[in-house]
Amino acid sequence: MFSDPSAQKSKRKLMRSRAKSKAQNETPRIVVGSIAIAVVLLLWWLLTSITGIVAPLYFPSPESAIDAFVALNWQLGIDAIATFRRVLLSWALGSSIGVLVGLAMSRSALLRYALAPLIEAVRPVPPIALIPFIILWFGIGDSGKVFLGSLACFMVMVINTLVAVTNVPPVYRRAGRSLGASASRINWRIVLPAILPEILAGFRIGSALAWTVIVATEFLGAEAGIGRLIMQASRTLNTPVVLVGTVAVALMAIVLDQIIVHVSARLTRWAPKEAY
Amino acid sequence: MHQIEINAATKSFTSRGRDIAALSETNLDISRNETVCLVGPSGCGKTTLLNLIAGFVFPTEGSISVGGSPITGPGSDRAVVFQEDAVFPWMTVQENIAFGPRSQHLPNAIVEERVQRFLELVNLHDFRTAHPKELSGGMRKRVDIARAYASEPDVLLLDEPFGALDHFTKEEMWMALRELKNIEPKTILFVTHDIEEALYMGDRVVVMTARPARVHTIVEVPFGGERSLDLRASTTFQDLRLSITRSLMEVNSVQ
């Protein structure tokens, strides 16, 4: 029954494709990417240190950036940790509340009718525009910054979750019901896994947004944080420190993003198309 | 008593303020372990009838009962194999097949036994830990059928299950489903638009009219339980195909 010689063949093909898909296409990507980065670094060095076409005030040379990095010493670490902590906290808080509220709204029409207009009204406002209010309400301490960062992530995830639930093909729910699954089993074993890829993609967008919002709030005042470091240095036209701070934010953002990407890839190995 | 009894079932939908009748006073009785194939013009309401029996929608008028009791909603006594790809992509093959038995809170030993049995029957034992994306369309359909069988329903509802497959895979699936039917007899309602498929699978072929659908003619298929692909060379097969084609042409011209 269902006997087919092709089964053995496709079994072998399956094993091979599993082993190959990882190694394939990786090498040229890494090589070309590394070359591009090397070229940009070389250009930077040529334009600033060697030829002096770009004045140090407009863009610092690699040497002066390294000097600034060494001179900052512990300070950079303290500021970086302060910023990373705020981003992580607001991202985790805002995203999880966003997903929960999104799921609740997808279940209850009453909640949807009540919250949707409020969310739609607040959503288009750039979070940064709320900074004056946040300072009035919370002062320049941590709580205001984390609140604003969370709000940004919340807005992304609430809409993302609602859309993801709507996008679940109805046939999955119907299949579940005709196989005798209870409503809660359908939610846990069908709806949640089905929306997972979209949720994880939302987490990525949210984390990028959290960096923007947190660094911006730090510009306007903080005891510690990369945003404060950059703003202080820019007031004294200390561009090497500005650059070091910017690179620090970029590196931290890449690390967080890559963690999310890797966890996502692991969680959604089943997904038909490559999401990332 | 028949396994499925459809009494003057009517279904109309409201769309943009207008009532659209999909099914009109349909009567049909299906006996236990009988396979009935529904053919008819596309969009005529065959799927509506299937959805009514599945319990996804309810009749506007008339009644439908399965196993003597009226339908109150979807249930594991009626498994559905859909036209679309409905295998859960986030579960492995064996997790998909286990979904029904686990939903019914059966003991682990029974779940395991069913998964093994139906993996063997659809010849997917080597692929039990694979995810659906690693399988071909035909293999995914086999998972879908195994999943439906594994919840051991009384009734199997198939909604153009092989519509998306190429012709050779389709023929393979006919033969395989026939064998499965012999080993594990079920009451089957099979919606299709393929007359050959209907003649290979059905004990009776029901030709439906254009929308609103009602039963036009019922054709008895006299080939018994063993049907090989050579069957289509026989004159009886040709005659039946011709008469069903004629009924369909008649039904279409009324539209």
Side-chain angles (χ1 to χ4, degrees):
Chain A
M1 162 150 343
F2 289 98
S3 69
D4 41 0
S6 68
Q8 278 309 313
K9 222 191 294 166
S10 38
K11 167 90 176 164
R12 250 177 282 133
K13 214 164 70 191
L14 173 72
M15 298 304 214
R16 229 181 304 131
S17 76
R18 267 180 179 170
K20 216 164 65 179
S21 64
K22 195 107 197 119
Q24 220 179 23
N25 300 328
E26 284 295 273
T27 321
R29 189 174 71 85
I30 291 167
V31 169
V32 174
S34 310
I35 291 173
I37 288 174
V39 167
V40 169
L41 289 177
L42 191 71
L43 268 178
W44 173 28
W45 186 55
L46 281 174
L47 289 173
T48 53
S49 294
I50 303 298
T51 60
I53 293 172
V54 177
L57 178 65
Y58 295 109
F59 208 84
S61 65
E63 291 92 336
S64 66
I66 290 166
D67 288 345
F69 174 73
V70 173
L72 277 171
N73 206 347
W74 287 107
Q75 191 54 50
L76 184 65
I78 292 167
D79 285 324
I81 288 170
T83 303
F84 200 83
R85 217 190 108 248
R86 288 182 191 123
V87 167
L88 217 55
L89 205 62
S90 54
W91 173 68
L93 214 64
S95 303
S96 46
I97 297 174
V99 172
L100 289 178
V101 172
L103 286 176
M105 284 171 73
S106 73
R107 297 289 315 279
S108 148
L110 188 69
L111 208 59
R112 205 160 51 241
Y113 297 153
L115 293 183
L118 293 174
I119 288 170
E120 284 305 320
V122 179
R123 200 166 65 101
V125 180
I128 295 164
L130 297 173
I131 289 177
F133 276 122
I134 298 299
I135 291 174
L136 275 175
W137 297 339
F138 295 92
I140 62 160
D142 260 5
S143 44
K145 295 179 176 61
V146 171
F147 174 81
L148 203 59
S150 306
L151 187 69
C153 293
F154 171 84
M155 288 300 170
V156 170
M157 289 319 295
V158 113
I159 302 295
N160 191 294
T161 307
L162 263 177
V163 171
V165 173
T166 330
N167 285 347
V168 176
V171 74
Y172 290 149
R173 276 208 189 82
R174 285 188 161 186
R177 289 168 73 199
S178 82
L179 291 167
S182 63
S184 84
R185 187 167 161 82
I186 287 173
N187 281 324
W188 282 102
R189 298 300 312 277
I190 295 176
V191 177
L192 274 186
I195 65 174
L196 191 65
E198 281 174 80
I199 298 288
L200 293 170
F203 281 172
R204 249 188 119 181
I205 299 167
S207 83
L209 202 57
W211 286 105
T212 316
V213 173
I214 293 297
V215 172
T217 58
E218 288 173 352
F219 277 171
L220 297 180
E223 280 175 30
I226 298 285
R228 179 209 63 92
L229 179 78
I230 292 173
M231 205 33 117
Q232 226 163 47
S234 92
R235 286 205 186 96
T236 57
L237 300 181
N238 188 350
T239 47
V241 170
V242 172
L243 183 66
V244 168
T246 313
V247 170
V249 171
L251 288 179
M252 288 192 292
I254 289 169
V255 167
L256 182 58
D257 189 59
Q258 282 302 306
I259 292 173
I260 299 172
V261 167
H262 278 91
V263 171
S264 304
R266 191 149 278 250
L267 290 176
T268 58
R269 255 183 298 201
W270 52 266
K273 48 184 183 286
E274 289 292 301
Y276 301 101
Chain B
M1 187 192 72
H2 296 280
Q3 178 72 18
I4 302 177
E5 292 182 352
I6 303 164
N7 292 315
T10 297
K11 178 68 189 173
S12 49
F13 296 97
T14 315
S15 167
R16 292 186 197 140
R18 283 196 310 146
D19 269 359
I20 295 171
L23 195 70
S24 165
E25 295 192 22
T26 297
N27 293 296
L28 185 66
D29 292 333
I30 302 174
S31 313
R32 176 171 292 277
N33 297 340
E34 185 190 19
T35 299
V36 168
C37 290
L38 287 185
V39 295
S42 46
C44 79
K46 301 175 296 235
T47 298
T48 303
L49 184 55
L50 185 134
N51 284 340
L52 285 168
I53 300 169
F56 298 137
V57 290
F58 296 97
T60 320
E61 277 165 59
S63 69
I64 299 177
S65 64
V66 171
S69 42
I71 292 161
T72 54
S76 58
D77 56 327
R78 287 151 288 139
V80 184
V81 177
F82 300 88
Q83 184 177 10
E84 306 105 296
D85 205 347
V87 171
F88 303 134
W90 51 88
M91 294 183 193
T92 61
V93 168
Q94 59 185 359
E95 285 167 348
N96 264 290
I97 298 175
F99 187 86
R102 290 222 188 280
S103 297
Q104 295 161 37
H105 308 290
L106 296 173
N108 269 332
I110 293 180
V111 177
E112 284 306 312
E113 181 273 322
R114 284 203 196 163
V115 169
Q116 289 305 321
R117 179 151 51 99
F118 288 105
L119 271 174
E120 298 291 348
L121 281 176
V122 298
N123 198 29
L124 280 174
H125 199 267
D126 289 347
F127 294 89
R128 63 191 179 280
T129 58
H131 279 102
K133 74 161 176 184
E134 297 165 299
L135 307 179
S136 67
M139 289 160 101
R140 277 205 291 275
K141 262 302 157 264
R142 285 191 244 160
V143 177
D144 209 341
I145 290 169
R147 183 176 70 177
Y149 265 95
S151 68
E152 304 227 313
D154 301 323
V155 174
L156 209 56
L157 304 166
L158 307 170
D159 187 6
E160 299 191 25
F162 311 140
L165 303 178
D166 65 81
H167 194 75
F168 292 110
T169 314
K170 215 169 171 180
E171 287 179 349
E172 220 175 85
M173 301 298 291
W174 295 344
M175 294 302 113
L177 194 59
R178 283 225 67 88
E179 274 194 62
L180 203 53
K181 264 162 54 77
N182 290 342
I183 300 169
E184 305 262 346
K186 295 271 178 242
T187 309
I188 298 177
L189 183 76
F190 195 123
V191 170
T192 179
H193 57 251
D194 182 331
I195 298 170
E196 261 194 17
E197 185 166 79
L199 286 175
Y200 272 114
M201 300 313 305
D203 299 315
R204 281 189 294 160
V205 177
V206 176
V207 180
M208 307 288 286
T209 64
R211 177 175 292 216
R214 63 170 74 80
V215 175
H216 180 266
T217 33
I218 298 181
V219 177
E220 297 279 343
V221 184
F223 301 131
E226 301 292 332
R227 301 181 194 181
S228 77
L229 287 174
D230 301 335
L231 197 63
R232 68 185 125 198
S234 77
T235 45
T236 327
F237 191 95
Q238 309 267 358
D239 288 348
L240 283 174
R241 179 159 60 188
L242 193 63
S243 88
I244 295 173
T245 308
R246 288 225 173 90
S247 302
L248 278 172
M249 282 167 73
E250 207 178 301
V251 157
N252 271 317
S253 64
V254 173
Q255 201 171 18

